[in-house]
Amino acid sequence: MSGYQVKPGPEAFLPPSASSMGIVLPDPGEGHIEGRIVPEDEAYELAARKFLEAKVPTLFPGPLVLWHWNDNAAEKAKAIKRLAEAIPARIIPMADYRPKYPKIIPEVEINPNHPNLTIWHNKIDACIFIGVHCHQANLALKIIRGGTSCYTMAMCAQAGHEDACLSFRDASVAKIDKLTETVLRLKKEGVKSQGDEFKQFRNNYTVSYKPSYE
Amino acid sequence: MSKEKIKISEAMWDFMPPEYQDMVDRATYGNNQRSWKDIGSSKELIEQHSLCAGCPESIAFRYILASLPNPEDTVMVGSTGCTSLVFPHVAIQNIHSLFGNQNAIASGLKRALKVRFPDKIKDVVVLAGDGATVDIGLDMTMQSWFRGEMFTTICFDNELYANTGGQESGLMQKGFVSKMAPVGKLFEKVRLPEIAFESGCHYVACLTVSKPNRVEKVIRNAVLVAREFGPTYVQLYTPCILEIGKQSMEGLDEMKDAEAIGQRFVAKEYMTDNVKAFLKEQDAKDKAAKKAAKAAAAAAK
C-alpha cells in the first residue's frame, strides 16, 4: 500500500487517479472516507458534519437526476431538494457533459471539463455529486482535487468513487433521505450550520412558470 | 432517446440553466411542421459553435438541423474535419467516427437500431467533409451505397482540406491553387453525385446552401427516401472562406456565384422513377398538412 489518502487539494496540476494509488471501492453497506473503507453509517455522519461546517455547501446533481427519464430519477431529484433545504445548500446542476462554448456561467452550472471554475468562483468548500455518470464524475473529482481545496463527496448509483474524499455507493432515494435525516439529527443535537447566507440561483424569467407533469 | 425523455425533473426545473429549459419548452422536437423558418423564433438544436465567423458550414448546419424530420430519433455520424468542431454542441444524438469510416459506422448503427427498435423510425444521417467522404473514406462511402444501406450521406464540400491548412482534395476544382497545393490541381473535380447515383443511391442532390428553402427540401427528401428505398446522397457547397481568400461576409456571395448558370454548383438532383412518384405523393401530403395547420391556426384566432 502506498499510504495515499484522498484529501482535499490543491494537490497537483495532474493528481494521480486514486485507484492507481491503491485506493479501492467500498463493498455494499460500506462507504469510503479519504480512501479508508468504513461502515456506511460513519460516512453519513461525516458527510453531514462536513456540510454543516462548510461555508458554501453545494450539491451538484447530474443528468441522471436532472432529467425525468424515469420515475425514480424524478423521486431522487425531490430527495436532493429536501437535502438542500435541510442543510441549507446551493444546488448547481451539471446539466451537460459537452464542453460549453464560449464559456460556462459558474453561478448557474458546473461542467466536468472544468469544474474548478465553478468551485473557485463560488468559493465552494464542500460538495457532493449525485446522478453524474461515473466517468464524468471521476474526471470532475480529480480536477477539483487537483486545483481546489474543496472537500468532495459522491453519492454513486453504482460502486462508489475512489476519487472523492468521501463516497457512498448504490445511491437511492432512501440513501439520500438518510443523509438528510442525519443532517437534521445533528442540527437537533445542536450542531449549527456554518454556511454563509446565500441566494439560490433561479432563472428570473421562468420563476413563475412550472411545467405540468401528469 | 424519445421526446418523452426530454423533460426535466420537476424538482430541478428552477435550477436548470435557461438554455435547457428552452430546449424542453421551445425546441422543435416532435413538431411535424418544423422548418428553417423556426430559426430565430424557437430554440435551435445548434446555436453556439466554434467555427470561423461567417463560415458557410455553420449556416448549412443550422439549415440541416432545422430540416431533419425526426430529430429526437435521429443519430448523426460525423468524421474528422471542421464538422467535428460543431458536433459537441448540437442537441442531437451523434457519434464521431475515425477519419473516413463514417459510412461503415452508420451502416452498423442503422442495422442495430432496426433490430433494437423494430417498430420505430430511427434515422441515421452521416455528415462529413469532402476529405472524409471522397478521399480518405471513399471506400467506406461507396461500399455502403453498393450494399444499399438505408441512411443519408451529406458531404460538406469545401473543395479542400480546410482545417489542416488547405491541401488538395478530390473535390477541388481543376487548376485551383491553395496554400498547401501550390502547383494547382491537375485533374478534374470528382463527379461524386453522378458516381453516387450509379452506385445505388436512390436520391442524389448537389447544391450550395445559399437558399434555405432548397436545402430544407433536399435534406427532407433525402431522409424520407433513405427510410423507404435505400441510400441517399447530398453534396452541399460550403466554401472555406479562409482558404479561398474571402472575408467573413463574402461566403454567401461565393455560393451564389458558384451556383450561377454554367458554374460548377448549379443545383441538380438525380432520382429513380419510384422515388420521383414517392416524393410527389409526399409533397401533396405536406401541402395538405400545411393547409390544415394554417386553417387550424386561423380558427384558433
PDB file of all heavy atoms in Angstrom, chain A residues 65-68 77 93 96 98 100-101 200 202-203 205-206 213, chain B residues 7-9 12 14-16 18-22 48-49 88-90:
ATOM      1  N   VAL A  65     -30.324  12.627 -12.623  1.00  0.00           N
ATOM      2  CA  VAL A  65     -31.449  13.057 -11.773  1.00  0.00           C
ATOM      3  C   VAL A  65     -32.095  14.349 -12.281  1.00  0.00           C
ATOM      4  O   VAL A  65     -33.236  14.645 -11.944  1.00  0.00           O
ATOM      5  CB  VAL A  65     -31.006  13.255 -10.301  1.00  0.00           C
ATOM      6  CG1 VAL A  65     -30.671  11.929  -9.672  1.00  0.00           C
ATOM      7  CG2 VAL A  65     -29.839  14.212 -10.191  1.00  0.00           C
ATOM      8  N   LEU A  66     -31.359  15.102 -13.081  1.00  0.00           N
ATOM      9  CA  LEU A  66     -31.932  16.356 -13.586  1.00  0.00           C
ATOM     10  C   LEU A  66     -33.033  16.092 -14.601  1.00  0.00           C
ATOM     11  O   LEU A  66     -34.004  16.828 -14.691  1.00  0.00           O
ATOM     12  CB  LEU A  66     -30.841  17.205 -14.249  1.00  0.00           C
ATOM     13  CG  LEU A  66     -29.791  17.790 -13.305  1.00  0.00           C
ATOM     14  CD1 LEU A  66     -28.641  18.386 -14.110  1.00  0.00           C
ATOM     15  CD2 LEU A  66     -30.401  18.852 -12.409  1.00  0.00           C
ATOM     16  N   TRP A  67     -32.842  15.023 -15.369  1.00  0.00           N
ATOM     17  CA  TRP A  67     -33.821  14.709 -16.410  1.00  0.00           C
ATOM     18  C   TRP A  67     -34.781  13.641 -15.933  1.00  0.00           C
ATOM     19  O   TRP A  67     -34.382  12.670 -15.288  1.00  0.00           O
ATOM     20  CB  TRP A  67     -33.095  14.241 -17.693  1.00  0.00           C
ATOM     21  CG  TRP A  67     -32.270  15.343 -18.278  1.00  0.00           C
ATOM     22  CD1 TRP A  67     -30.943  15.564 -18.082  1.00  0.00           C
ATOM     23  CD2 TRP A  67     -32.727  16.415 -19.116  1.00  0.00           C
ATOM     24  NE1 TRP A  67     -30.541  16.699 -18.747  1.00  0.00           N
ATOM     25  CE2 TRP A  67     -31.614  17.245 -19.401  1.00  0.00           C
ATOM     26  CE3 TRP A  67     -33.970  16.760 -19.656  1.00  0.00           C
ATOM     27  CZ2 TRP A  67     -31.708  18.380 -20.190  1.00  0.00           C
ATOM     28  CZ3 TRP A  67     -34.054  17.892 -20.456  1.00  0.00           C
ATOM     29  CH2 TRP A  67     -32.937  18.685 -20.714  1.00  0.00           C
ATOM     30  N   HIS A  68     -36.039  13.838 -16.259  1.00  0.00           N
ATOM     31  CA  HIS A  68     -37.103  12.923 -15.832  1.00  0.00           C
ATOM     32  C   HIS A  68     -37.169  11.756 -16.826  1.00  0.00           C
ATOM     33  O   HIS A  68     -38.124  11.629 -17.582  1.00  0.00           O
ATOM     34  CB  HIS A  68     -38.417  13.696 -15.813  1.00  0.00           C
ATOM     35  CG  HIS A  68     -39.562  12.946 -15.225  1.00  0.00           C
ATOM     36  ND1 HIS A  68     -40.583  13.555 -14.556  1.00  0.00           N
ATOM     37  CD2 HIS A  68     -39.855  11.622 -15.188  1.00  0.00           C
ATOM     38  CE1 HIS A  68     -41.456  12.659 -14.158  1.00  0.00           C
ATOM     39  NE2 HIS A  68     -41.037  11.473 -14.529  1.00  0.00           N
ATOM     40  N   ALA A  77     -34.588  13.428  -7.546  1.00  0.00           N
ATOM     41  CA  ALA A  77     -34.480  14.891  -7.647  1.00  0.00           C
ATOM     42  C   ALA A  77     -35.188  15.549  -6.467  1.00  0.00           C
ATOM     43  O   ALA A  77     -34.679  16.505  -5.869  1.00  0.00           O
ATOM     44  CB  ALA A  77     -35.073  15.361  -8.972  1.00  0.00           C
ATOM     45  N   PRO A  93     -26.463  22.657 -11.010  1.00  0.00           N
ATOM     46  CA  PRO A  93     -26.561  21.430 -11.825  1.00  0.00           C
ATOM     47  C   PRO A  93     -25.369  21.206 -12.759  1.00  0.00           C
ATOM     48  O   PRO A  93     -24.754  22.158 -13.227  1.00  0.00           O
ATOM     49  CB  PRO A  93     -27.829  21.673 -12.650  1.00  0.00           C
ATOM     50  CG  PRO A  93     -27.945  23.151 -12.747  1.00  0.00           C
ATOM     51  CD  PRO A  93     -27.355  23.714 -11.491  1.00  0.00           C
ATOM     52  N   ASP A  96     -24.880  19.069 -18.390  1.00  0.00           N
ATOM     53  CA  ASP A  96     -24.335  18.639 -19.667  1.00  0.00           C
ATOM     54  C   ASP A  96     -22.883  18.234 -19.494  1.00  0.00           C
ATOM     55  O   ASP A  96     -22.177  18.803 -18.680  1.00  0.00           O
ATOM     56  CB  ASP A  96     -24.388  19.844 -20.615  1.00  0.00           C
ATOM     57  CG  ASP A  96     -24.654  19.419 -22.033  1.00  0.00           C
ATOM     58  OD1 ASP A  96     -24.142  18.366 -22.436  1.00  0.00           O
ATOM     59  OD2 ASP A  96     -25.357  20.156 -22.736  1.00  0.00           O
ATOM     60  N   ARG A  98     -21.003  18.001 -22.364  1.00  0.00           N
ATOM     61  CA  ARG A  98     -20.313  18.589 -23.525  1.00  0.00           C
ATOM     62  C   ARG A  98     -19.544  19.827 -23.084  1.00  0.00           C
ATOM     63  O   ARG A  98     -20.005  20.564 -22.215  1.00  0.00           O
ATOM     64  CB  ARG A  98     -21.339  19.002 -24.584  1.00  0.00           C
ATOM     65  CG  ARG A  98     -22.193  17.869 -25.064  1.00  0.00           C
ATOM     66  CD  ARG A  98     -23.276  18.345 -25.980  1.00  0.00           C
ATOM     67  NE  ARG A  98     -24.196  19.271 -25.337  1.00  0.00           N
ATOM     68  CZ  ARG A  98     -25.211  19.865 -25.965  1.00  0.00           C
ATOM     69  NH1 ARG A  98     -25.409  19.650 -27.242  1.00  0.00           N
ATOM     70  NH2 ARG A  98     -26.011  20.677 -25.319  1.00  0.00           N
ATOM     71  N   LYS A 100     -18.653  23.450 -22.838  1.00  0.00           N
ATOM     72  CA  LYS A 100     -19.505  24.595 -23.135  1.00  0.00           C
ATOM     73  C   LYS A 100     -18.728  25.638 -23.920  1.00  0.00           C
ATOM     74  O   LYS A 100     -17.578  25.902 -23.627  1.00  0.00           O
ATOM     75  CB  LYS A 100     -20.004  25.223 -21.826  1.00  0.00           C
ATOM     76  CG  LYS A 100     -21.165  24.495 -21.215  1.00  0.00           C
ATOM     77  CD  LYS A 100     -22.367  24.579 -22.130  1.00  0.00           C
ATOM     78  CE  LYS A 100     -23.641  24.139 -21.487  1.00  0.00           C
ATOM     79  NZ  LYS A 100     -24.216  25.032 -20.535  1.00  0.00           N
ATOM     80  N   TYR A 101     -19.384  26.234 -24.897  1.00  0.00           N
ATOM     81  CA  TYR A 101     -18.737  27.244 -25.707  1.00  0.00           C
ATOM     82  C   TYR A 101     -19.603  28.476 -25.745  1.00  0.00           C
ATOM     83  O   TYR A 101     -20.792  28.349 -25.923  1.00  0.00           O
ATOM     84  CB  TYR A 101     -18.533  26.711 -27.127  1.00  0.00           C
ATOM     85  CG  TYR A 101     -17.860  27.681 -28.056  1.00  0.00           C
ATOM     86  CD1 TYR A 101     -16.479  27.798 -28.076  1.00  0.00           C
ATOM     87  CD2 TYR A 101     -18.614  28.492 -28.889  1.00  0.00           C
ATOM     88  CE1 TYR A 101     -15.870  28.708 -28.913  1.00  0.00           C
ATOM     89  CE2 TYR A 101     -18.005  29.391 -29.727  1.00  0.00           C
ATOM     90  CZ  TYR A 101     -16.630  29.505 -29.742  1.00  0.00           C
ATOM     91  OH  TYR A 101     -16.024  30.401 -30.559  1.00  0.00           O
ATOM     92  N   GLN A 200     -30.246  31.317  -3.611  1.00  0.00           N
ATOM     93  CA  GLN A 200     -30.203  30.239  -4.602  1.00  0.00           C
ATOM     94  C   GLN A 200     -30.493  30.803  -5.989  1.00  0.00           C
ATOM     95  O   GLN A 200     -31.465  31.520  -6.157  1.00  0.00           O
ATOM     96  CB  GLN A 200     -31.245  29.178  -4.234  1.00  0.00           C
ATOM     97  CG  GLN A 200     -31.350  28.023  -5.196  1.00  0.00           C
ATOM     98  CD  GLN A 200     -30.141  27.101  -5.101  1.00  0.00           C
ATOM     99  OE1 GLN A 200     -29.858  26.561  -4.045  1.00  0.00           O
ATOM    100  NE2 GLN A 200     -29.431  26.970  -6.187  1.00  0.00           N
ATOM    101  N   ARG A 202     -31.979  31.272  -9.372  1.00  0.00           N
ATOM    102  CA  ARG A 202     -33.157  30.802 -10.109  1.00  0.00           C
ATOM    103  C   ARG A 202     -33.288  31.666 -11.343  1.00  0.00           C
ATOM    104  O   ARG A 202     -32.912  32.829 -11.338  1.00  0.00           O
ATOM    105  CB  ARG A 202     -34.420  30.917  -9.260  1.00  0.00           C
ATOM    106  CG  ARG A 202     -34.578  29.776  -8.295  1.00  0.00           C
ATOM    107  CD  ARG A 202     -35.990  29.748  -7.741  1.00  0.00           C
ATOM    108  NE  ARG A 202     -36.211  28.534  -6.976  1.00  0.00           N
ATOM    109  CZ  ARG A 202     -35.851  28.353  -5.724  1.00  0.00           C
ATOM    110  NH1 ARG A 202     -35.228  29.306  -5.086  1.00  0.00           N
ATOM    111  NH2 ARG A 202     -36.100  27.223  -5.097  1.00  0.00           N
ATOM    112  N   ASN A 203     -33.813  31.088 -12.364  1.00  0.00           N
ATOM    113  CA  ASN A 203     -33.937  31.849 -13.602  1.00  0.00           C
ATOM    114  C   ASN A 203     -35.123  32.791 -13.498  1.00  0.00           C
ATOM    115  O   ASN A 203     -36.247  32.358 -13.379  1.00  0.00           O
ATOM    116  CB  ASN A 203     -34.138  30.893 -14.767  1.00  0.00           C
ATOM    117  CG  ASN A 203     -32.971  29.950 -14.853  1.00  0.00           C
ATOM    118  OD1 ASN A 203     -31.838  30.389 -14.900  1.00  0.00           O
ATOM    119  ND2 ASN A 203     -33.241  28.662 -14.812  1.00  0.00           N
ATOM    120  N   TYR A 205     -36.794  34.703 -15.481  1.00  0.00           N
ATOM    121  CA  TYR A 205     -37.938  34.753 -16.390  1.00  0.00           C
ATOM    122  C   TYR A 205     -38.777  33.490 -16.345  1.00  0.00           C
ATOM    123  O   TYR A 205     -39.844  33.444 -16.935  1.00  0.00           O
ATOM    124  CB  TYR A 205     -37.475  35.069 -17.812  1.00  0.00           C
ATOM    125  CG  TYR A 205     -36.904  33.930 -18.571  1.00  0.00           C
ATOM    126  CD1 TYR A 205     -37.692  33.184 -19.437  1.00  0.00           C
ATOM    127  CD2 TYR A 205     -35.576  33.584 -18.424  1.00  0.00           C
ATOM    128  CE1 TYR A 205     -37.152  32.121 -20.139  1.00  0.00           C
ATOM    129  CE2 TYR A 205     -35.039  32.530 -19.109  1.00  0.00           C
ATOM    130  CZ  TYR A 205     -35.840  31.797 -19.973  1.00  0.00           C
ATOM    131  OH  TYR A 205     -35.314  30.746 -20.654  1.00  0.00           O
ATOM    132  N   THR A 206     -38.322  32.487 -15.650  1.00  0.00           N
ATOM    133  CA  THR A 206     -39.132  31.263 -15.586  1.00  0.00           C
ATOM    134  C   THR A 206     -39.658  30.988 -14.182  1.00  0.00           C
ATOM    135  O   THR A 206     -40.265  29.977 -13.940  1.00  0.00           O
ATOM    136  CB  THR A 206     -38.311  30.045 -16.019  1.00  0.00           C
ATOM    137  OG1 THR A 206     -37.139  30.010 -15.250  1.00  0.00           O
ATOM    138  CG2 THR A 206     -37.993  30.063 -17.479  1.00  0.00           C
ATOM    139  N   TYR A 213     -46.611  18.041 -15.085  1.00  0.00           N
ATOM    140  CA  TYR A 213     -46.285  16.631 -15.294  1.00  0.00           C
ATOM    141  C   TYR A 213     -47.460  15.809 -14.837  1.00  0.00           C
ATOM    142  O   TYR A 213     -47.894  15.916 -13.694  1.00  0.00           O
ATOM    143  CB  TYR A 213     -45.045  16.238 -14.487  1.00  0.00           C
ATOM    144  CG  TYR A 213     -43.802  16.883 -14.993  1.00  0.00           C
ATOM    145  CD1 TYR A 213     -43.268  17.994 -14.362  1.00  0.00           C
ATOM    146  CD2 TYR A 213     -43.170  16.397 -16.127  1.00  0.00           C
ATOM    147  CE1 TYR A 213     -42.129  18.599 -14.838  1.00  0.00           C
ATOM    148  CE2 TYR A 213     -42.030  16.986 -16.603  1.00  0.00           C
ATOM    149  CZ  TYR A 213     -41.512  18.081 -15.958  1.00  0.00           C
ATOM    150  OH  TYR A 213     -40.382  18.677 -16.430  1.00  0.00           O
TER     151      TYR A 213
ATOM    152  N   LYS B   7     -37.510  15.753 -20.797  1.00  0.00           N
ATOM    153  CA  LYS B   7     -38.170  16.637 -19.846  1.00  0.00           C
ATOM    154  C   LYS B   7     -37.381  16.647 -18.543  1.00  0.00           C
ATOM    155  O   LYS B   7     -36.716  15.673 -18.182  1.00  0.00           O
ATOM    156  CB  LYS B   7     -39.628  16.247 -19.648  1.00  0.00           C
ATOM    157  CG  LYS B   7     -39.876  14.870 -19.121  1.00  0.00           C
ATOM    158  CD  LYS B   7     -41.378  14.627 -19.006  1.00  0.00           C
ATOM    159  CE  LYS B   7     -41.659  13.276 -18.419  1.00  0.00           C
ATOM    160  NZ  LYS B   7     -43.085  12.988 -18.326  1.00  0.00           N
ATOM    161  N   ILE B   8     -37.482  17.765 -17.872  1.00  0.00           N
ATOM    162  CA  ILE B   8     -36.656  17.983 -16.680  1.00  0.00           C
ATOM    163  C   ILE B   8     -37.413  17.494 -15.447  1.00  0.00           C
ATOM    164  O   ILE B   8     -38.637  17.647 -15.367  1.00  0.00           O
ATOM    165  CB  ILE B   8     -36.338  19.495 -16.565  1.00  0.00           C
ATOM    166  CG1 ILE B   8     -35.503  19.942 -17.771  1.00  0.00           C
ATOM    167  CG2 ILE B   8     -35.623  19.818 -15.265  1.00  0.00           C
ATOM    168  CD1 ILE B   8     -35.350  21.431 -17.912  1.00  0.00           C
ATOM    169  N   SER B   9     -36.688  16.907 -14.476  1.00  0.00           N
ATOM    170  CA  SER B   9     -37.328  16.507 -13.218  1.00  0.00           C
ATOM    171  C   SER B   9     -37.963  17.742 -12.594  1.00  0.00           C
ATOM    172  O   SER B   9     -37.308  18.790 -12.494  1.00  0.00           O
ATOM    173  CB  SER B   9     -36.291  15.926 -12.253  1.00  0.00           C
ATOM    174  OG  SER B   9     -35.854  14.684 -12.714  1.00  0.00           O
ATOM    175  N   MET B  12     -36.131  19.871 -10.085  1.00  0.00           N
ATOM    176  CA  MET B  12     -34.902  20.528 -10.539  1.00  0.00           C
ATOM    177  C   MET B  12     -35.159  21.642 -11.560  1.00  0.00           C
ATOM    178  O   MET B  12     -34.225  22.293 -12.009  1.00  0.00           O
ATOM    179  CB  MET B  12     -33.957  19.486 -11.169  1.00  0.00           C
ATOM    180  CG  MET B  12     -33.375  18.496 -10.186  1.00  0.00           C
ATOM    181  SD  MET B  12     -32.229  19.289  -9.052  1.00  0.00           S
ATOM    182  CE  MET B  12     -32.918  18.855  -7.478  1.00  0.00           C
ATOM    183  N   ASP B  14     -36.319  24.674 -11.551  1.00  0.00           N
ATOM    184  CA  ASP B  14     -35.867  26.036 -11.255  1.00  0.00           C
ATOM    185  C   ASP B  14     -34.351  26.199 -11.297  1.00  0.00           C
ATOM    186  O   ASP B  14     -33.852  27.305 -11.431  1.00  0.00           O
ATOM    187  CB  ASP B  14     -36.345  26.445  -9.862  1.00  0.00           C
ATOM    188  CG  ASP B  14     -37.798  26.848  -9.881  1.00  0.00           C
ATOM    189  OD1 ASP B  14     -38.322  27.076 -10.988  1.00  0.00           O
ATOM    190  OD2 ASP B  14     -38.408  26.932  -8.807  1.00  0.00           O
ATOM    191  N   PHE B  15     -33.643  25.096 -11.117  1.00  0.00           N
ATOM    192  CA  PHE B  15     -32.186  25.208 -11.009  1.00  0.00           C
ATOM    193  C   PHE B  15     -31.486  24.988 -12.339  1.00  0.00           C
ATOM    194  O   PHE B  15     -30.279  25.170 -12.450  1.00  0.00           O
ATOM    195  CB  PHE B  15     -31.661  24.189  -9.985  1.00  0.00           C
ATOM    196  CG  PHE B  15     -32.382  24.256  -8.681  1.00  0.00           C
ATOM    197  CD1 PHE B  15     -33.296  23.297  -8.322  1.00  0.00           C
ATOM    198  CD2 PHE B  15     -32.176  25.325  -7.827  1.00  0.00           C
ATOM    199  CE1 PHE B  15     -33.996  23.374  -7.136  1.00  0.00           C
ATOM    200  CE2 PHE B  15     -32.874  25.426  -6.637  1.00  0.00           C
ATOM    201  CZ  PHE B  15     -33.788  24.448  -6.279  1.00  0.00           C
ATOM    202  N   MET B  16     -32.226  24.532 -13.329  1.00  0.00           N
ATOM    203  CA  MET B  16     -31.595  24.237 -14.616  1.00  0.00           C
ATOM    204  C   MET B  16     -31.236  25.531 -15.343  1.00  0.00           C
ATOM    205  O   MET B  16     -32.012  26.485 -15.337  1.00  0.00           O
ATOM    206  CB  MET B  16     -32.548  23.429 -15.498  1.00  0.00           C
ATOM    207  CG  MET B  16     -32.564  21.970 -15.163  1.00  0.00           C
ATOM    208  SD  MET B  16     -31.004  21.163 -15.497  1.00  0.00           S
ATOM    209  CE  MET B  16     -31.415  20.199 -16.926  1.00  0.00           C
ATOM    210  N   PRO B  18     -31.030  28.262 -18.175  1.00  0.00           N
ATOM    211  CA  PRO B  18     -32.143  28.611 -19.064  1.00  0.00           C
ATOM    212  C   PRO B  18     -32.132  27.894 -20.408  1.00  0.00           C
ATOM    213  O   PRO B  18     -33.187  27.572 -20.944  1.00  0.00           O
ATOM    214  CB  PRO B  18     -31.990  30.116 -19.283  1.00  0.00           C
ATOM    215  CG  PRO B  18     -31.065  30.592 -18.240  1.00  0.00           C
ATOM    216  CD  PRO B  18     -30.303  29.433 -17.701  1.00  0.00           C
ATOM    217  N   GLU B  19     -30.930  27.609 -20.950  1.00  0.00           N
ATOM    218  CA  GLU B  19     -30.944  27.000 -22.291  1.00  0.00           C
ATOM    219  C   GLU B  19     -31.563  25.603 -22.297  1.00  0.00           C
ATOM    220  O   GLU B  19     -32.107  25.161 -23.297  1.00  0.00           O
ATOM    221  CB  GLU B  19     -29.558  26.992 -22.936  1.00  0.00           C
ATOM    222  CG  GLU B  19     -28.496  26.195 -22.226  1.00  0.00           C
ATOM    223  CD  GLU B  19     -27.607  27.064 -21.377  1.00  0.00           C
ATOM    224  OE1 GLU B  19     -28.114  28.017 -20.748  1.00  0.00           O
ATOM    225  OE2 GLU B  19     -26.396  26.790 -21.321  1.00  0.00           O
ATOM    226  N   TYR B  20     -31.483  24.907 -21.138  1.00  0.00           N
ATOM    227  CA  TYR B  20     -32.079  23.568 -21.088  1.00  0.00           C
ATOM    228  C   TYR B  20     -33.592  23.667 -20.924  1.00  0.00           C
ATOM    229  O   TYR B  20     -34.340  22.837 -21.432  1.00  0.00           O
ATOM    230  CB  TYR B  20     -31.446  22.741 -19.959  1.00  0.00           C
ATOM    231  CG  TYR B  20     -29.968  22.573 -20.197  1.00  0.00           C
ATOM    232  CD1 TYR B  20     -29.051  23.444 -19.639  1.00  0.00           C
ATOM    233  CD2 TYR B  20     -29.501  21.598 -21.071  1.00  0.00           C
ATOM    234  CE1 TYR B  20     -27.707  23.337 -19.909  1.00  0.00           C
ATOM    235  CE2 TYR B  20     -28.161  21.472 -21.341  1.00  0.00           C
ATOM    236  CZ  TYR B  20     -27.261  22.354 -20.760  1.00  0.00           C
ATOM    237  OH  TYR B  20     -25.935  22.254 -21.036  1.00  0.00           O
ATOM    238  N   GLN B  21     -34.020  24.686 -20.184  1.00  0.00           N
ATOM    239  CA  GLN B  21     -35.471  24.910 -20.085  1.00  0.00           C
ATOM    240  C   GLN B  21     -36.022  25.247 -21.472  1.00  0.00           C
ATOM    241  O   GLN B  21     -37.082  24.766 -21.869  1.00  0.00           O
ATOM    242  CB  GLN B  21     -35.744  26.050 -19.113  1.00  0.00           C
ATOM    243  CG  GLN B  21     -35.300  25.721 -17.704  1.00  0.00           C
ATOM    244  CD  GLN B  21     -35.481  26.887 -16.763  1.00  0.00           C
ATOM    245  OE1 GLN B  21     -35.488  28.038 -17.177  1.00  0.00           O
ATOM    246  NE2 GLN B  21     -35.613  26.595 -15.485  1.00  0.00           N
ATOM    247  N   ASP B  22     -35.260  26.063 -22.195  1.00  0.00           N
ATOM    248  CA  ASP B  22     -35.671  26.418 -23.564  1.00  0.00           C
ATOM    249  C   ASP B  22     -35.742  25.183 -24.451  1.00  0.00           C
ATOM    250  O   ASP B  22     -36.616  25.046 -25.292  1.00  0.00           O
ATOM    251  CB  ASP B  22     -34.664  27.394 -24.185  1.00  0.00           C
ATOM    252  CG  ASP B  22     -34.943  28.817 -23.766  1.00  0.00           C
ATOM    253  OD1 ASP B  22     -35.965  29.036 -23.096  1.00  0.00           O
ATOM    254  OD2 ASP B  22     -34.136  29.703 -24.102  1.00  0.00           O
ATOM    255  N   GLN B  48     -24.534  27.960 -30.465  1.00  0.00           N
ATOM    256  CA  GLN B  48     -23.151  28.405 -30.443  1.00  0.00           C
ATOM    257  C   GLN B  48     -22.291  27.336 -31.105  1.00  0.00           C
ATOM    258  O   GLN B  48     -22.582  26.157 -31.008  1.00  0.00           O
ATOM    259  CB  GLN B  48     -22.724  28.603 -28.996  1.00  0.00           C
ATOM    260  CG  GLN B  48     -23.503  29.729 -28.361  1.00  0.00           C
ATOM    261  CD  GLN B  48     -23.414  29.732 -26.862  1.00  0.00           C
ATOM    262  OE1 GLN B  48     -23.293  28.691 -26.235  1.00  0.00           O
ATOM    263  NE2 GLN B  48     -23.477  30.896 -26.282  1.00  0.00           N
ATOM    264  N   HIS B  49     -21.269  27.775 -31.795  1.00  0.00           N
ATOM    265  CA  HIS B  49     -20.380  26.813 -32.437  1.00  0.00           C
ATOM    266  C   HIS B  49     -18.973  27.392 -32.444  1.00  0.00           C
ATOM    267  O   HIS B  49     -18.781  28.568 -32.151  1.00  0.00           O
ATOM    268  CB  HIS B  49     -20.852  26.524 -33.863  1.00  0.00           C
ATOM    269  CG  HIS B  49     -20.879  27.743 -34.736  1.00  0.00           C
ATOM    270  ND1 HIS B  49     -19.735  28.278 -35.282  1.00  0.00           N
ATOM    271  CD2 HIS B  49     -21.888  28.557 -35.123  1.00  0.00           C
ATOM    272  CE1 HIS B  49     -20.042  29.348 -35.981  1.00  0.00           C
ATOM    273  NE2 HIS B  49     -21.346  29.540 -35.898  1.00  0.00           N
ATOM    274  N   PRO B  88     -19.923  18.520 -30.941  1.00  0.00           N
ATOM    275  CA  PRO B  88     -20.087  18.525 -29.482  1.00  0.00           C
ATOM    276  C   PRO B  88     -21.142  19.510 -28.986  1.00  0.00           C
ATOM    277  O   PRO B  88     -21.550  19.444 -27.843  1.00  0.00           O
ATOM    278  CB  PRO B  88     -18.695  18.939 -28.975  1.00  0.00           C
ATOM    279  CG  PRO B  88     -17.766  18.604 -30.068  1.00  0.00           C
ATOM    280  CD  PRO B  88     -18.544  18.780 -31.344  1.00  0.00           C
ATOM    281  N   HIS B  89     -21.579  20.442 -29.845  1.00  0.00           N
ATOM    282  CA  HIS B  89     -22.528  21.455 -29.379  1.00  0.00           C
ATOM    283  C   HIS B  89     -23.957  21.226 -29.850  1.00  0.00           C
ATOM    284  O   HIS B  89     -24.827  22.029 -29.558  1.00  0.00           O
ATOM    285  CB  HIS B  89     -22.081  22.843 -29.855  1.00  0.00           C
ATOM    286  CG  HIS B  89     -20.647  23.143 -29.558  1.00  0.00           C
ATOM    287  ND1 HIS B  89     -20.175  23.290 -28.266  1.00  0.00           N
ATOM    288  CD2 HIS B  89     -19.572  23.299 -30.357  1.00  0.00           C
ATOM    289  CE1 HIS B  89     -18.884  23.529 -28.304  1.00  0.00           C
ATOM    290  NE2 HIS B  89     -18.484  23.527 -29.553  1.00  0.00           N
ATOM    291  N   VAL B  90     -24.205  20.185 -30.638  1.00  0.00           N
ATOM    292  CA  VAL B  90     -25.548  20.029 -31.183  1.00  0.00           C
ATOM    293  C   VAL B  90     -26.425  19.208 -30.235  1.00  0.00           C
ATOM    294  O   VAL B  90     -25.932  18.353 -29.506  1.00  0.00           O
ATOM    295  CB  VAL B  90     -25.552  19.386 -32.602  1.00  0.00           C
ATOM    296  CG1 VAL B  90     -24.685  20.162 -33.562  1.00  0.00           C
ATOM    297  CG2 VAL B  90     -25.156  17.927 -32.551  1.00  0.00           C
TER     298      VAL B  90
END
